[in-house]
Amino acid sequence: MWKYYALLSALFAALTAIFAKVGVKDINSDLATAIRTTVILLLTWGIVLFGQHVGEIREIPRHAWLFLVLSGVATGLSWLLCICIEEATTVHCLVHFFETACRNHKTQHIAFY
C-alpha cells in the first residue's frame, strides 16, 4: 500500500510545480506564495482536527516549541533569500545584457532609470 502512497505523493509534487508555474504567471510571487501557504495551512490544520490531535498541543514541551518556531522562521527566511537571489540575478542579467549590448554597438554610456 505504501507504494501507492509514494506514487500519489510524487504525482502531487509534480502537479504542485506545474500548477505553480501556470498559476502565477501574471501574479506577484510573494502574493502567490502567501496564498499557497494559506491553503497548506488550512489543509494541515484540517488533518490535525480530523485526526483529533488538537489536544496534544498542550503536551508539546517548551524546547520543541522553540525549535518548531525556529524551523518556521528559517523556512520563511529561506523563501525571502530565494526571492532576493532571484531579484539580484535578474538585475545582474539585465546589467550584463546592457553592458554587452553597449560594447557590441560601441555605445559609451547607457542610463538606467
Side-chain angles (χ1 to χ4, degrees):
M1 188 67 160
W2 66 269
K3 292 178 184 178
Y4 296 113
Y5 292 145
L7 288 173
L8 284 173
S9 177
L11 172 70
F12 286 123
L15 288 175
T16 298
I18 293 168
F19 292 158
K21 292 293 181 189
V22 173
V24 299
K25 189 167 46 172
D26 297 324
I27 299 174
N28 175 280
S29 62
D30 298 335
L31 177 60
T33 299
I35 292 169
R36 288 176 49 207
T37 303
T38 302
V39 171
I40 293 167
L41 178 73
L42 293 173
L43 285 172
T44 53
W45 275 107
I47 292 168
V48 169
L49 292 170
F50 183 74
Q52 300 176 342
H53 299 290
V54 176
E56 297 173 25
I57 291 176
R58 293 185 210 113
E59 300 169 14
I60 299 173
R62 283 185 180 256
H63 76 280
W65 275 109
L66 173 66
F67 286 103
L68 287 169
V69 169
L70 288 174
S71 173
V73 169
T75 301
L77 290 175
S78 171
W79 287 349
L80 175 66
L81 292 174
C82 281
I83 292 168
C84 291
I85 289 169
E86 182 179 332
E87 294 284 331
T89 304
T90 302
V91 169
H92 174 73
C93 289
L94 287 173
V95 169
H96 178 71
F97 170 78
F98 284 117
E99 286 175 347
T100 304
C102 288
R103 269 187 253 123
N104 289 343
H105 296 286
K106 296 184 174 121
T107 304
Q108 295 294 326
H109 302 291
I110 188 163
F112 293 94
Y113 293 101

